Amino acid sequence: MQASNIDIDKNRCNGCGICVKVCPAQAFSIAAEQAELSGSCSFACDHCAAACPKEAITVQFNEAKEPFDFASFTGKVAENQTEVKLTALVAMMRARRSCRAYQKRSVDCGILEDLVKIGLTAPSGTNSQKWTFTIIDSRPKMLAFGESVAAYFGKMNRWAESAWLRKLLKLSGRPELEIYYREYYESIKVGLSQWYEKKEDRLFHGAQAAILIGAQPGGSCPQEDALLAAQNILLGAQVMGLGSCLIGFAVEALRRDRKIKESLKIPAAEKIYAVIALGYPAITFPRPAGRRKVPIRWVD
Ligand SMILES: Cc1cc2nc3c(=O)[nH]c(=O)nc-3n(C[C@H](O)[C@H](O)[C@H](O)COP(=O)(O)O)c2cc1C
């Protein structure tokens, strides 16, 4: 989506810069104590509008926005206890946000272990429970992990820069490098220069810890099992007052570069399906983010 779909009310904006911190697409910057749109794209994640303390930002969705008026419960506190619990559950789910700004405060090992236990409450195909959990429990270890992910993407970008290599692979039926070049090259180039030159962490956003969820061989639905456990952990973290963010870039690097797995002592046969960055959030969201309205298909 175009960043031009974002409106900033200059009369309300106080230039606090929270939009700059929460935006994953780097659409905003601050000039003359006002937020302005300096990037060209937006994920339409609505984080800027949800986080802005002055309610100065509106994201125009290309599609209609889901109104969240529920058919089976009011969404308000009701006499019926079940309804109250459901309301609380849905409110908690809607309040979870991908966190991209963390405090410099470590997360206790006990809390990280509890999160793994919360992950274990998820269903798994044929109840195989073949999932694996690898915990990274400190900022220096996160940085070391980040270094290896950055090295992987540095190599990818160097390959993608070669027009003849992209063409050769495309002609031999492997268009992946061409697609990578088109979709990711530029933003990864910016992210890498921020990582190496400015020491800014656009990968883990300054998270203090991470849980990597994988699977041993032999499960019937390893990816689904891992991702269901991941969602439980995201929600558990939310209730514990932690911020979390799935980091797909780290999953991709782990998948493609076996040396990264080796450096984390993850057996070669194990596949990693989710990397959850964790830490105490530096920014809170006073409002939930919007969701696009989806058509529901009813079977006759
Ligand atoms: C599979 C997956 C991979 C993701 N990878 C990243 C990532 O590498 N970096 C990041 O900042 N956010 C990542 N996200 C977070 C999404 O951008 C985020 O979920 C989306 O914008 C919606 O915002 P919300 O999580 O606050 O509802 C990922 C999310 C998913 C589901």
Side-chain angles (χ1 to χ4, degrees):
M1 186 178 116
Q2 305 275 312
S4 55
N5 284 18
I6 300 171
D7 292 325
I8 304 168
D9 183 338
K10 298 280 178 193
N11 295 321
R12 289 181 173 218
C13 174
N14 64 357
C16 69
I18 284 179
C19 51
V20 179
K21 289 189 184 140
V22 298
C23 178
Q26 303 193 63
F28 297 89
S29 57
I30 302 293
E33 296 182 11
Q34 287 264 294
E36 63 175 28
L37 290 172
S38 47
S40 56
C41 71
S42 156
F43 296 175
C45 67
D46 211 26
H47 277 206
C48 48
C52 176
K54 296 286 172 191
E55 297 189 46
I57 302 177
T58 317
V59 179
Q60 308 290 343
F61 279 56
N62 287 333
E63 305 88 358
K65 221 169 170 176
E66 176 61 57
F68 285 108
D69 46 352
F70 295 95
S72 61
F73 71 106
T74 60
K76 298 191 188 90
V77 176
E79 311 91 63
N80 175 325
Q81 183 62 13
T82 313
E83 190 168 327
V84 174
K85 283 183 185 161
L86 181 59
T87 304
L89 175 69
V90 175
M92 183 267 287
M93 287 169 160
R94 289 194 67 202
R96 181 211 53 79
R97 290 275 71 76
S98 291
C99 179
R100 299 192 179 89
Y102 296 90
Q103 297 172 30
K104 289 191 174 87
R105 174 181 162 198
S106 57
V107 184
D108 283 352
C109 293
I111 289 180
L112 294 167
E113 279 189 22
D114 285 348
L115 284 171
V116 170
K117 290 173 196 161
I118 291 169
L120 295 178
T121 61
S124 63
T126 60
N127 196 26
S128 65
Q129 300 182 42
K130 291 271 187 189
W131 37 39
T132 65
F133 299 87
T134 304
I135 295 178
I136 301 180
D137 64 357
S138 74
R139 184 67 190 149
K141 291 181 201 171
M142 290 296 288
L143 286 172
F145 180 26
E147 278 297 320
S148 46
V149 174
Y152 165 77
F153 280 105
K155 187 177 70 185
M156 281 301 291
N157 264 26
R158 281 194 298 282
W159 284 349
E161 265 160 24
S162 165
W164 73 261
L165 183 59
R166 295 199 310 270
K167 199 166 176 187
L168 184 74
L169 287 170
K170 199 173 164 191
L171 286 173
S172 55
R174 294 172 60 194
E176 295 88 351
L177 197 63
E178 182 63 42
I179 296 167
Y180 173 91
Y181 183 70
R182 217 175 36 234
E183 305 279 328
Y184 300 109
Y185 172 80
E186 268 308 325
S187 59
I188 286 176
K189 190 175 166 188
V190 172
L192 286 172
S193 93
Q194 287 169 326
W195 178 272
Y196 288 119
E197 284 146 40
K198 297 191 188 157
K199 306 286 173 212
E200 276 174 20
D201 175 9
R202 299 289 307 184
L203 177 65
F204 299 125
H205 315 288
Q208 301 286 319
I211 298 177
L212 283 52
I213 311 178
Q216 305 159 34
S220 53
C221 312
Q223 183 158 5
E224 290 85 344
D225 299 349
L227 294 176
L228 287 163
Q231 176 66 4
N232 281 9
I233 290 177
L234 297 183
L235 294 176
Q238 161 76 10
V239 175
M240 287 175 168
L242 287 163
S244 66
C245 190
L246 286 164
I247 307 294
F249 283 108
V251 174
E252 180 66 12
L254 278 159
R255 210 173 270 166
R256 306 263 174 200
D257 185 343
R258 64 181 167 75
K259 286 199 187 121
I260 307 181
K261 272 204 311 200
E262 277 169 23
S263 71
L264 297 168
K265 309 253 183 313
I266 297 171
E270 243 177 61
K271 279 197 179 141
I272 300 298
Y273 295 105
V275 171
I276 304 175
L278 292 156
Y280 290 93
I283 289 173
T284 50
F285 288 81
R287 291 169 292 285
R291 285 287 191 255
R292 291 182 196 106
K293 196 166 164 46
V294 291
I296 298 173
R297 184 176 300 121
W298 293 90
V299 176
D300 294 335

